[in-house]
Amino acid sequence: MVTIVVLLAVSFMSKSARADDKFIDVSFGGYSKHIEATYKEFDDTDTRYNESHNLVGIEYRDYDSGYGIFTFNNSHYDQSVAVVRSYYFQPINYTEVIASIGVVTGYKNRRACIVGVGQLCTMASVGIQVGTDKLKGRITWYGTAFVLTGTWRF
């Protein structure tokens, strides 16, 4: 029990020492692997998921949270824009656990949505980011896929 309290105290101390740091992360790439290889279109035909997303995004963030906007070709071959709020936890150096919530456009297929209105969906994801201070790789669980992206910090 004492060990847990000490680890939590050290975690909060390191956070507070870095809480004033602000930076910009630019994200790129976007390659995914879906649990299922295909999905049903509206006419009930099987269609293979898009797994190369050409993602570009920018996130304004501090040590433990950020606001981002991203554009990408989604898994259904439509252009999407996502606006997200992300929360970061750094359990060890150069590794961050991420939880994100937000809204995304471009999904006609509702399986990707938590709640949807028209083509606007709410979304949530969790992931892990590993790398140096400037360049990181991120793997995120989103909907029915794992998504791999890169991040460059300014």
Side-chain angles (χ1 to χ4, degrees):
M1 180 66 179
V2 172
T3 304
I4 293 172
V5 172
V6 169
L7 288 173
L8 286 172
V10 169
S11 172
F12 286 116
M13 287 187 320
S14 66
K15 175 186 167 195
S16 63
R18 300 173 62 181
D20 292 333
D21 293 345
K22 304 282 188 226
F23 36 87
I24 301 291
D25 282 350
V26 176
S27 297
F28 54 89
Y31 301 95
S32 64
K33 186 64 179 167
H34 292 78
I35 293 173
E36 303 165 332
T38 62
Y39 64 95
K40 295 283 187 192
E41 279 288 354
F42 295 111
D43 62 2
D44 213 29
T45 59
D46 284 334
T47 303
R48 290 194 67 75
Y49 283 107
N50 174 32
E51 295 189 334
S52 180
H53 304 288
N54 300 316
L55 177 136
V56 176
I58 189 165
E59 185 175 21
Y60 177 75
R61 60 168 291 205
D62 58 24
Y63 179 72
D64 61 358
S65 64
Y67 295 94
I69 185 165
F70 306 88
T71 184
F72 55 96
N73 296 322
N74 69 31
S75 297
H76 304 279
Y77 301 91
D78 294 318
Q79 190 66 29
S80 288
V81 175
V83 178
V84 301
R85 172 77 161 133
S86 296
Y87 300 92
Y88 296 84
F89 170 69
Q90 188 174 20
I92 57 175
N93 285 341
Y94 304 109
T95 303
E96 294 176 304
V97 176
I98 308 154
S100 300
I101 57 171
V103 294
V104 62
T105 65
Y107 283 93
K108 297 175 217 160
N109 186 320
R110 289 288 167 243
R111 291 181 62 195
C113 300
I114 297 170
V115 174
V117 176
Q119 288 192 31
L120 187 65
C121 298
T122 57
M123 55 79 63
S125 65
V126 293
I128 188 165
Q129 181 166 270
V130 178
T132 67
D133 285 337
K134 293 290 183 188
L135 187 60
K136 300 177 186 296
R138 177 187 292 197
I139 190 160
T140 306
W141 172 252
Y142 173 69
T144 62
F146 287 100
V147 181
L148 177 65
T149 55
T151 301
W152 184 264
R153 176 158 298 158
F154 292 91

